[in-house]
Amino acid sequence: IRTAPSRVVPPEGALSAAGALGYPVVLKGLAPGLVHRSDVGAVILGVSTPLGVVAAVKALQERLGRVGLGLPEVLVQRQIAGGVEAMVGVVTDPDLGPLVVAGLGGREVELTRDVAFRLTPVTDRDAAEMIDGLRMRPLLDGYRAAPAGDRPALLELIGRVSALADAIPEIRELDLNPVKILVPGEGAVVVDARIRVEG
């Protein structure tokens, strides 16, 4: 499962991390108890200069301070441009066990609820049916002259997430969102992930 290059550093290490990763970068605030960073403005996109990094760290400290949190660490991540946004994950049903979930649209998936579920293990055919059944599927095909997404890479990611859920039964919830589905041949890159594990 390919992820965007990133480093977790203390705030004072953000400048060095950004230089090592290459601009532009995204800065994300990390703090205990913080789950949905975007809800409190703890994600700053398109930081393209050293001065921008310094300003972004200060902004993160102020924003988290407003909700009673500190900023012990910052995730500095290379920004992945373009692509169709998708989400792939795992939820656990108390009766059925692990289910793989997939949808298109990134954060908007939570609003549209345009998602498909399958029991693990998910076959190649299952993954294709999941995507083909989505109302937002035209995004992957290149809606209104926008670039198409790498469909095989998305199907492979769904299969890998299914295999992960089978191999590690302690995973109760996994949320890869957004995943950037790049142009055909360039793959899929996870830019944010959340996982809940129970022993």
Side-chain angles (χ1 to χ4, degrees):
I1 296 175
R2 182 177 161 204
T3 60
S6 61
R7 295 187 179 182
V8 175
V9 295
E12 60 272 19
L15 196 57
S16 174
L21 290 167
Y23 293 96
V25 294
V26 177
L27 271 70
K28 302 178 182 182
L30 302 179
L34 179 61
V35 178
H36 296 292
R37 289 184 287 267
S38 58
D39 289 351
V40 296
V43 177
I44 300 178
L45 303 169
V47 181
S48 56
T49 65
L51 285 177
V53 172
V54 173
V57 168
K58 184 176 179 183
L60 289 173
Q61 289 170 328
E62 291 172 354
R63 292 171 187 180
L64 290 181
R66 285 197 288 266
V67 294
L69 297 173
L71 183 68
E73 294 181 313
V74 177
L75 187 146
V76 183
Q77 184 179 70
R78 185 179 301 151
Q79 184 156 324
I80 306 298
V84 176
E85 289 196 348
M87 67 82 61
V88 179
V90 175
V91 294
T92 302
D93 181 274
D95 297 318
L96 301 175
L99 300 167
V100 173
V101 57
L104 294 170
R107 286 188 303 174
E108 286 71 27
V109 166
E110 295 175 13
L111 292 175
T112 64
R113 300 193 183 278
D114 182 26
V115 294
F117 295 89
R118 289 294 186 281
L119 287 166
T120 62
V122 175
T123 66
D124 293 347
R125 182 173 179 175
D126 291 333
E129 289 176 353
M130 290 173 77
I131 298 306
D132 289 341
L134 298 172
R135 295 189 309 275
M136 301 288 277
R137 198 207 70 216
L139 293 175
L140 194 62
D141 299 334
Y143 183 67
R144 291 194 172 177
D150 192 334
R151 177 187 170 92
L154 176 56
L155 300 181
E156 181 180 354
L157 176 61
I158 292 170
R160 288 180 181 273
V161 167
S162 172
L164 187 65
D166 278 343
I168 307 173
E170 293 83 4
I171 293 175
R172 293 292 180 266
E173 185 178 350
L174 173 66
D175 186 19
L176 308 180
N177 187 16
V179 179
K180 293 290 191 91
I181 311 301
L182 303 178
V183 296
E186 293 196 7
V189 183
V190 176
V191 296
D192 203 13
R194 188 166 50 93
I195 187 168
R196 182 169 62 88
V197 177
E198 292 180 2

